[in-house]
Amino acid sequence: MHWHRLKNSGPFWMVVACLSFGVMGVFVKLGSHSFSTAELVFYRCLAGFIGILLIALPARRPLRVSWPLLQVHLGRSVSGFLSLMLYFFAISRLPLSTAVTLNYTSPLFLMVVSTLWYRQWPMRRQVLAILFGFVGVVLLLRPALDGDEWLAGLLGLCSGLLASIAYMNVHELGRRGEPEWRTVFYFSLVSSLGAGIWMLLQPGELAQLHLDNLWIILGMGISATIAQLSMTRAYSKGKSLVVASLAYLTVVFSTLFGVLLWGDRLPPSSYLAMLLIAACGVVSARLGAASAARPQRPA
């Protein structure tokens, strides 16, 4: 009875998704010693592309879309691909918890991007949430900016910005009735092609797959797939605001993995910054949902 309730609970599946995203980050960090960022993104997205094809082709689901819709798909896919590249790069250079938290600034950026796109000034509480959230960003980036990790820190922050643009396009695709599987298909296709071209253009030889590193690729692909499926089920089973608020558990799991596996020891200000960013991200998501019903005028 308890298991039946759990498997139909949105919060439960979001916890599973967050744990799986944290595990994916572990495999990305482990793989960064053997593979380039482009190679990791390529293998990660190729697995998703093949998986979607195995679902769509036997069911004869249509993959073609009209040109206006394709433009939105391309906007989502390109921004998502670049965000993923920067995110994986940040994971390879920064403590896992720091890289994950910087990527999870996307709700803060999303509110800023939405304001610019819809030309609608946010509520005072939204402005305060954004300001306090970016105070947390400054606190979190201070150790990186004072050392030799400043570039990775800034690129990790840019991954959050690009993720917010991708989410804007995902929202637009959902508004137009596009199914989630087709959105994932185009994202996986564009990202696989983009990472594949990047791999071929980068200097040096490509890493060879063998038994010593194949488990990393498999672990990354499996954990990412479980995370995506669990997150989708979480949003279908539970209230969106509750589920979205739990998304920051990925930061908690990543922090624990960083301490246990790599002995990460961050200054107290970094932990305070993570808490501040997570809290402001949750508030931003809730206030953004509350203001969604207000009339909006696209640019």
Side-chain angles (χ1 to χ4, degrees):
M1 178 64 72
H2 290 298
W3 169 244
H4 179 73
R5 288 180 180 176
L6 277 177
K7 71 178 184 179
N8 288 292
S9 165
F12 168 76
W13 286 109
M14 195 61 187
V15 172
V16 174
C18 291
L19 177 60
S20 300
F21 277 127
V23 172
M24 184 197 75
V26 169
F27 281 112
V28 171
K29 196 164 187 67
L30 290 172
S32 65
H33 298 293
S34 304
F35 301 95
S36 67
T37 299
E39 289 172 310
L40 289 171
V41 172
F42 174 76
Y43 290 123
R44 155 73 179 85
C45 295
L46 182 64
F49 177 67
I50 294 173
I52 288 294
L53 281 182
L54 292 176
I55 294 172
L57 292 182
R60 296 187 176 182
R61 295 180 177 178
L63 298 174
R64 295 180 63 181
V65 294
S66 63
W67 172 242
L69 265 182
L70 183 59
Q71 288 179 297
V72 184
H73 274 294
L74 289 176
R76 181 268 182 269
S77 299
V78 172
S79 56
F81 161 62
L82 293 176
S83 173
L84 194 61
M85 286 285 293
L86 297 181
Y87 181 38
F88 278 20
F89 178 81
I91 288 177
S92 70
R93 297 293 192 276
L94 298 171
L96 183 59
S97 56
T98 301
V100 171
T101 306
L102 289 172
N103 182 258
Y104 273 64
T105 56
S106 52
L108 302 176
F109 283 116
L110 182 59
M111 194 174 296
V112 176
V113 171
S114 299
T115 298
L116 296 175
W117 178 254
Y118 293 113
R119 296 180 181 176
Q120 185 177 41
W121 187 250
M123 297 180 291
R124 183 178 301 176
R125 287 175 295 174
Q126 291 175 308
V127 175
L128 289 175
I130 294 171
L131 291 177
F132 279 110
F134 283 110
V135 168
V137 170
V138 172
L139 284 174
L140 188 62
L141 283 177
R142 256 184 54 188
L145 293 176
D146 291 340
D148 58 354
E149 298 173 334
W150 61 271
L151 178 60
L154 292 179
L155 292 180
L157 186 62
C158 288
S159 77
L161 170 59
L162 288 166
S164 70
I165 296 173
Y167 293 146
M168 280 283 294
N169 284 286
V170 169
H171 175 75
E172 178 63 19
L173 288 168
R175 191 182 68 81
R176 297 191 187 191
E178 274 295 273
E180 293 176 354
W181 64 266
R182 196 152 58 200
T183 300
V184 175
F185 166 78
Y186 279 105
F187 166 68
S188 300
L189 173 62
V190 169
S191 298
S192 298
L193 289 174
I197 294 171
W198 205 309
M199 284 167 53
L200 296 176
L201 294 179
Q202 67 187 9
E205 295 183 0
L206 299 178
Q208 298 297 314
L209 287 175
H210 46 73
L211 291 178
D212 290 337
N213 59 27
L214 183 60
W215 64 276
I216 295 176
I217 297 299
L218 291 175
M220 180 180 65
I222 292 171
S223 58
T225 301
I226 293 174
Q228 289 289 344
L229 293 174
S230 299
M231 185 172 66
T232 301
R233 174 163 290 195
Y235 279 105
S236 66
K237 296 287 185 182
K239 295 181 179 178
S240 296
L241 284 178
V242 175
V243 170
S245 298
L246 289 172
Y248 280 90
L249 284 176
T250 303
V251 176
V252 176
F253 288 128
S254 299
T255 302
L256 292 175
F257 288 140
V259 171
L260 294 174
L261 297 177
W262 291 282
D264 291 343
R265 293 292 185 270
L266 301 177
S269 61
S270 293
Y271 292 109
L272 175 62
M274 290 178 191
L275 181 63
L276 192 58
I277 291 170
C280 291
V282 172
V283 171
S284 297
R286 289 178 175 272
L287 291 177
S291 63
R294 296 163 64 191
Q296 294 177 329
R297 180 166 56 88

